Amino acid sequence: IPLGKLIDCVSIINTGAKYDSETFQKSVGLNGVGQKAVNALALEYRAQAFREGQTKIVEFAKGKLSKEHKIAKTEERNGTLIEFTPDEALFGKDFKFRTEFIEDMLWNYAFLNRGLTLTLNGKPFKSENGLKDLLTKELSGEPLYPIIHLEGEDIEVAFTHGNHYGEEYWSFVNGQHTTMGGTHLAAFREALVDTVRNFFKKDYDADDVRQSIDAAIVVRVQEPVFESQTKTKLGSSNMAPDGASIKEFVGKFMQQSLDVYLHKNKETAEVLKRRIEESELERK
């Protein structure tokens, strides 16, 4: 957070940095409400920004500014420190944090922003391999073949097959966990089947290709449209207001990247083929 804008960014609505900056064109929200909401609902709230060797602290009580510190020098890396105590008058005396819920969210942010360290009460969350790390953490059994991890501009995909029944997916848009899926997940499921059919030159049944899959996908979309206020399902048809359709974009990426991967990794391709044919046999 720019030091001169620290107060605005944590207390004044509509002070997000997401209008002109290219960095933020593919964000989830526009106005940066989250930080202001935490501040407004806190008995005490303290924000500290570290930027290019300088730091600034601002303190609030019940949403009102109580102290603004002068800019000082620091050895810390760039980042932000937020500390707060929820207001008992609003939440009651016996409120508690659901740590496992918060940690899941922090892991997801870490997987989607590799190299970024998030720290909650001294516990660090960091990922170097993005969605590959997510799948490794979430898999319940041994994967049948090494996780296939594919990346392109505005898209990242990781998947493998296991021995369980059904299909498991983790889908994200611009850092938002779309637990209900949406157009990007539908495009991925379809593109996977098409690419596998083309590679093996066999008209496999779609269900057999996807049976026992564990997969994660993230796409970065300009001005995403979600189907509800909770932002759990992507409704956008296009990658940008005047860009390619999501279906076309994901399909093209999978056709190129996965095809190349399977050609280079013959053993994985063989295991995948066996798994599909086993599913076909079981179904029949």
Side-chain angles (χ1 to χ4, degrees), residues 142-158:
E142 277 297 307
L144 294 181
Y145 52 84
I147 292 167
I148 296 175
H149 187 210
L150 310 169
E151 292 177 272
E153 191 174 343
D154 293 333
I155 185 168
E156 183 185 352
V157 164

Side-chain angles (χ1 to χ4, degrees), residues 38 41-42 83-87 91 94-103 120-121:
V38 173
L41 303 175
E83 295 176 282
F84 66 94
T85 307
D87 190 345
F91 294 102
D94 43 357
F95 67 81
K96 61 176 183 283
F97 290 99
R98 289 170 56 192
T99 313
E100 70 286 354
F101 182 78
I102 298 166
E103 290 189 355
L120 172 69
N121 297 341

Side-chain angles (χ1 to χ4, degrees), residues 101-117:
F101 182 78
I102 298 166
E103 290 189 355
D104 269 351
M105 291 179 74
L106 288 177
W107 270 125
N108 286 342
Y109 289 134
F111 296 139
L112 299 178
N113 299 279
R114 62 175 70 179
L116 174 70
T117 303

